[in-house]
Amino acid sequence: MNFQNLMRTAIRSLGRNKMRSALTSLGVIIGVASVIMMVGIGNSARVAVREKIFTYGSNAMGVESKKRTFTMSDVEAMKRAIPSIKFISPMVGKTQVTAKYQGAILYSRIRGVNNDFFKIKEWPLKYGRYFTEQEILSREKIVVLGNTLLDELFGSINPVGKVMLINNIPFQVIGCLAESGQAFSGKDQDNLIVMPYTTAMVKISGRNVFNEIFISTFNEQMVEKTEASVRSFIREDRGLAPGTPDDFNITTSKEQLQMAEYISQTLAMLLAGIASISLIVGGIGIMNIMLVSVSERTREIGIRMAIGAKKSDILLQFLIEAVSLSSSGGTVGIIIGLGVYYAITVGVGWDFLFSTFSVVVAFLFSCAVGVFFGYYPARKASNLKPIDALRYE
Amino acid sequence: MRDKVIDIQNLVKTYQISEEVSVHALRGISLTIARGEFVAIMGASGSGKSTLMNILGFLDTHTSGKYILDGVDGIALDENQKAEIRNRKIGFVFQGFNLLSRTSALENVELPMMYRGDAEPREMKRKARELLAMVGLAGREHHHPNRLSGGEQQRVAIARSLINDPAIILADEPTGNLDTKNSDEVMKIFTRLNKETGITIILVTHEPDVANYTDRKVVFRDGQIMEDAPIAKAAPRPGRKRP
C-alpha cells in the first residue's frame, strides 16, 4: 500500500476513537509542553541573570581582605596610582543590625560607602537623594534604604525625612533605592541600609578601617588590566614577597557571570531532564494503547492479511498510528509549552526567547517517541498469523 | 482438457496438538480443478474441508504433498510472497462477511487493490463502483457495513473478492449467515459470475441446496475425499422454494 493510503488508514482509525486518541496524546502533550517550557525558562533565567550582573556593573570588581584591613588613604592612593579606576568606594560593612521604625523591626545589613558606590552599582533612586560630600565629611546620621526595608518598615509611606532606629541609634532617611530583586544566590539584595562610610566607622563599627573596596573601570575591556594593577598595588603596598599568595581576594563580574551561567545552565538541564521523564511516560502510554488497539483489532488485521496486506503494510499502519499520536501530541505540546512559557515571562518580566532549534528538536523527539514505543505493538500486529487473526473473536 | 487452476497431489495436513497427540486433518488427498469450474466442497464439520480451504487460500501450509495454484507452488514462498498470492490470485468470501467496519462499501471493495500497490486511484474507484453495480449495490457505495443487510454485506464481499481479477474465488460457507432469500441471491451472483466471466469458484458448504447451484460436488469425510461427482443438471434448477 502506498504511503498516502497508509496515512489515511491510520488517521481514520485514530479518528474512530477520538477520546482515546486525545487522552493517549495527552502524555506526550504534557511531556513536550514541559520540556519546551523548562528549556525556555532556563534560557530566559540565564539572560535575566546575565543582565542583572551586567546591571551591577560589568565594569565592577570587589576587593576583600579579611585578615588585613584597608584605610581611606589606601583607597585614595589606589585611585591616584591606577588611572583606569573610574569609581572607587570603601565599604564598612556590618550584618545583623536591627532596623526599627514605629514598632516594626527587621534585621538588615549596613553598607558604609561613599557616593561612588551608587555609580559602581548603577543603582537608581526611588525616593529622595544620595549623600552630599558635606554630609559624608560631617558624619551625618543619614541613610539610604533598600527597597525591602521600605516595604517592611514603612509600607506605602514615603520614608524620606522619617527618623528610624538602627541598633537603637536614630538615623534620618534621605533616600530609597529602586528595587533590584533577588541575587541569583537567593540573597535579597534590597535588604540593605546604605550610609556614609564615615558615619558607619563612628557609629557602627567603631574603627576607621574596613575590609572591602568596590571599584569600577571606564569600560569592560579594562577590567582585567585593572584587576592586575590593583593586585600588584596591594601586594606592593603590603610588601608581599614574590611567590607568596595574596592575602586578599578580587572578584570581578566576569567570574560571577561565569558562575551564574554555570548554575543556570545546570539548572536548565536538570529541569529539561525531569520534564523529559514525563515524555517517556507519555510514550509508554502510547505503547499501552497501541497494544490494546492491536488486540482489539486482531480480526481487522486478519481480514487485511487475508486480502493481501503484507507484514510491512500492517507494521507501517500501526507505526504510523503511533507516530501520528505522538507527533500530534508533540505539536499541541509545543504550542501549549510556548504559551505557558510566554505567560510566565510576561508575569516575571523576563525576555521571551523563541528558539526554533528547541521546537524542531521537541517535534522530532516526539516523533521518535512514537517510533520507539509504537514499534513493539506494530511488530506484534504484523507477526500475527492471518489464519489465527481471522478466527479471533 | 482445460488447464488446471488447482493441482493437489497427496496433500497431508497434521496438527500437532502436543507431543503425543496429533490430529490428521487431511490424510493425503488428491484433487484437480480446471479453470472455470464451479465446485462445492461438502462435508460435516471436522471433515477437513475448512483445513483444505485454508491451504487453498494460502492462509495455512500443508504438512506434505503438493499444491499448485495457477502454476505457483506455495510451499517455498515466504509470508510476503504468500500475501501477494492471496492478493492477486485469490478472492475470499467468508461466512462472516469480514468487511472492515466503519469503512464504506466502496472502500472495502477497493482495499485489495490498495494493497496491490500499483493501482491508479481513479481506475480503482471506477472498477470498485462497477463491481458494486454488478452485485446490485449501485448507489450504496458510501454506506458502512452496519447500514447494510447480511445479504448486502456478502455482496460487497463478493465485489471485494473480484477487484484484483483473481484466478479463483474461495467462498467459505458464504450463505451460512444468510436467510434463504439472501442465499439464493448470493448463489445467483456466483452462478452468473462463473458463467459470464468463466472465473473458477470453490465453495464450501454443508447445504445441499447451495451445492446444487454448482457443477461439481466434492464430499469430505475424516480428512479424505469420499465422493467427487458432477451435479446432475437434469434435476430441477436450484432456486426453487425451499420448505
Side-chain angles (χ1 to χ4, degrees):
Chain A
M1 207 192 265
N2 66 34
F3 186 75
Q4 198 187 338
N5 285 329
L6 276 168
M7 201 72 200
R8 231 178 51 188
T9 309
I11 305 255
R12 183 177 310 153
S13 57
L14 289 177
R16 277 175 205 150
N17 280 310
K18 288 194 185 69
M19 187 68 179
R20 183 203 277 186
S21 304
L23 286 174
T24 309
S25 301
L26 196 61
V28 177
I29 292 175
I30 292 171
V32 169
S34 41
V35 170
I36 288 278
M37 218 170 72
M38 293 305 180
V39 169
I41 288 172
N43 283 334
S44 288
R46 212 157 81 208
V47 169
V49 166
R50 202 186 161 83
E51 274 173 0
K52 185 172 277 181
I53 285 169
F54 274 130
T55 318
Y56 286 125
S58 55
N59 315 338
M61 67 184 77
V63 186
E64 191 186 23
S65 172
K66 286 286 181 213
K67 289 189 195 115
R68 294 170 66 173
T69 54
F70 300 110
T71 62
M72 211 43 212
S73 53
D74 291 333
V75 171
E76 279 151 18
M78 214 182 282
K79 171 108 196 219
R80 274 196 305 274
I82 305 167
S84 59
I85 291 177
K86 187 180 182 192
F87 297 116
I88 185 162
S89 168
M91 212 288 278
V92 182
K94 184 154 176 71
T95 54
Q96 290 292 312
V97 298
T98 55
K100 283 188 223 163
Y101 179 73
Q102 287 185 352
I105 183 160
L106 187 72
Y107 287 95
S108 189
R109 59 197 154 89
I110 285 176
R111 294 246 181 275
V113 295
N114 65 18
N115 269 333
D116 277 5
F117 172 80
F118 302 107
K119 293 166 189 153
I120 294 165
K121 293 283 186 185
E122 293 167 16
W123 210 334
L125 283 165
K126 192 170 178 184
Y127 298 120
R129 57 180 180 84
Y130 298 131
F131 313 123
T132 64
E133 290 307 316
Q134 185 54 48
E135 281 166 341
I136 294 173
L137 279 175
S138 56
R139 298 168 182 168
E140 294 290 332
K141 289 191 280 177
I142 48 170
V143 288
V144 172
L145 298 180
N147 195 62
T148 302
L149 279 109
L150 176 67
D151 286 348
E152 298 287 328
L153 300 186
F154 295 92
S156 52
I157 310 167
N158 183 343
V160 174
K162 299 278 186 298
V163 174
M164 62 183 293
L165 293 178
I166 296 165
N167 279 358
N168 292 321
I169 303 162
F171 280 83
Q172 190 182 25
V173 180
I174 62 155
C176 182
L177 295 168
E179 188 177 0
S180 75
Q182 285 196 338
F184 198 72
S185 62
K187 194 165 91 179
D188 181 3
Q189 309 207 80
D190 292 322
N191 186 5
L192 87 168
I193 299 164
V194 190
M195 63 176 66
Y197 68 94
T198 48
T199 316
M201 281 170 176
V202 174
K203 301 290 175 190
I204 305 295
S205 69
R207 305 189 301 167
N208 60 354
V209 292
F210 43 88
N211 297 92
E212 274 184 79
I213 298 172
F214 290 128
I215 293 168
S216 77
T217 61
F218 288 92
N219 58 49
E220 209 182 323
Q221 285 70 43
M222 287 178 162
V223 171
E224 226 166 304
K225 208 187 83 196
T226 311
E227 186 188 350
S229 305
V230 169
R231 173 167 285 119
S232 57
F233 178 88
I234 300 172
R235 286 185 70 93
E236 214 170 292
D237 187 52
R238 293 181 173 179
L240 294 178
T244 55
D246 293 344
D247 56 0
F248 58 93
N249 266 325
I250 304 177
T251 319
T252 62
S253 289
K254 198 176 158 196
E255 284 160 8
Q256 285 178 305
L257 194 66
Q258 277 171 346
M259 182 73 165
E261 288 251 317
Y262 174 75
I263 292 170
S264 52
Q265 212 156 25
T266 313
L267 205 68
M269 269 161 64
L270 189 77
L271 289 175
I274 293 168
S276 48
I277 290 173
S278 58
L279 200 54
I280 290 169
V281 174
I284 294 169
I286 287 182
M287 178 145 93
N288 193 10
I289 282 300
M290 290 310 294
L291 282 171
V292 170
S293 178
V294 166
S295 67
E296 253 180 17
R297 284 152 66 193
T298 302
R299 202 175 166 80
E300 178 196 322
I301 296 164
I303 297 169
R304 287 179 184 275
M305 284 178 156
I307 63 173
K310 296 189 176 81
K311 270 167 175 281
S312 57
D313 291 324
I314 301 293
L315 184 89
L316 271 178
Q317 184 190 333
F318 281 89
L319 211 51
I320 288 173
E321 280 185 30
V323 173
S324 306
L325 279 177
S326 70
S327 61
S328 58
T331 309
V332 174
I334 287 170
I335 293 166
I336 292 178
L338 286 176
V340 175
Y341 166 45
Y342 181 75
I344 288 175
T345 54
V346 168
V348 181
W350 286 345
D351 290 339
F352 176 81
L353 303 166
F354 180 82
S355 150
T356 317
F357 177 76
S358 66
V359 166
V360 169
V361 166
F363 181 75
L364 292 181
F365 195 72
S366 69
C367 291
V369 163
V371 173
F372 185 80
F373 289 101
Y375 185 75
Y376 173 71
R379 208 184 137 73
K380 205 175 156 189
S382 71
N383 278 342
L384 285 170
K385 286 202 171 117
I387 184 162
D388 298 330
L390 264 179
R391 269 198 220 119
Y392 187 85
E393 290 298 332
Chain B
M1 179 77 189
R2 289 176 288 177
D3 66 326
K4 289 182 273 188
V5 171
I6 284 173
D7 185 1
I8 289 172
Q9 303 294 334
N10 265 323
L11 198 72
V12 173
K13 177 69 184 179
T14 309
Y15 292 107
Q16 202 73 36
I17 306 291
S18 67
E19 261 181 55
E20 301 89 40
V21 187
S22 53
V23 173
H24 302 281
L26 294 174
R27 298 164 185 266
I29 61 159
S30 297
L31 177 71
T32 56
I33 293 172
R35 199 175 297 283
E37 272 197 275
F38 190 6
V39 184
I41 292 178
M42 302 193 67
S45 46
S47 62
K49 61 185 192 316
S50 287
T51 304
L52 179 69
M53 283 304 264
N54 288 335
I55 292 170
L56 288 180
F58 281 70
L59 292 169
D60 204 352
T61 37
H62 48 279
T63 313
S64 70
K66 195 179 77 169
Y67 163 42
I68 290 170
L69 167 70
D70 201 22
V72 180
D73 188 346
I75 201 83
L77 300 181
D78 65 22
E79 283 300 324
N80 274 343
Q81 288 166 317
K82 281 183 190 167
E84 203 153 306
I85 299 289
R86 286 198 293 272
N87 185 240
R88 286 167 188 257
K89 289 195 183 287
I90 302 168
F92 285 99
V93 179
F94 301 94
Q95 178 175 2
F97 320 134
N98 278 349
L99 299 178
L100 293 188
S101 58
R102 292 192 257 190
T103 305
S104 72
L106 190 71
E107 285 167 323
N108 263 298
V109 175
E110 287 173 352
L111 203 57
M113 206 164 181
M114 241 184 226
Y115 280 118
R116 204 173 78 184
D118 56 1
E120 201 269 312
R122 196 171 303 163
E123 164 66 11
M124 182 163 75
K125 269 216 159 43
R126 188 196 62 75
K127 195 165 179 191
R129 279 175 190 282
E130 198 179 282
L131 286 169
L132 278 173
M134 193 205 74
V135 296
L137 289 173
R140 310 289 302 273
E141 288 89 353
H142 297 293
H143 287 201
H144 287 193
N146 57 358
R147 289 180 59 196
L148 299 169
S149 73
E152 287 165 341
Q153 288 189 48
Q154 195 60 299
R155 274 142 62 193
V156 173
I158 293 170
R160 179 179 68 184
S161 74
L162 291 166
I163 194 151
N164 279 346
D165 301 313
I168 57 167
I169 286 182
L170 289 179
D172 192 355
E173 306 250 20
T175 59
N177 286 9
L178 301 178
D179 60 15
T180 315
K181 183 175 158 285
N182 275 312
S183 29
D184 280 347
E185 210 160 317
V186 163
M187 288 315 296
K188 274 180 194 152
I189 291 172
F190 276 131
T191 312
R192 205 177 76 219
L193 270 174
N194 175 251
K195 298 290 170 278
E196 286 174 7
T197 68
I199 191 165
T200 315
I201 299 175
I202 300 159
L203 180 147
V204 167
T205 184
H206 52 259
E207 293 172 73
D209 279 347
V210 170
N212 276 339
Y213 280 94
T214 67
D215 301 325
R216 176 182 168 191
K217 182 167 79 172
V218 180
V219 182
F220 274 73
R221 186 188 293 165
D222 299 333
Q224 281 170 318
I225 296 174
M226 287 298 296
E227 185 194 337
D228 182 354
I231 302 267
K233 289 294 171 182
R237 275 297 291 184
R240 68 195 143 85
K241 290 270 180 288
R242 276 185 277 176

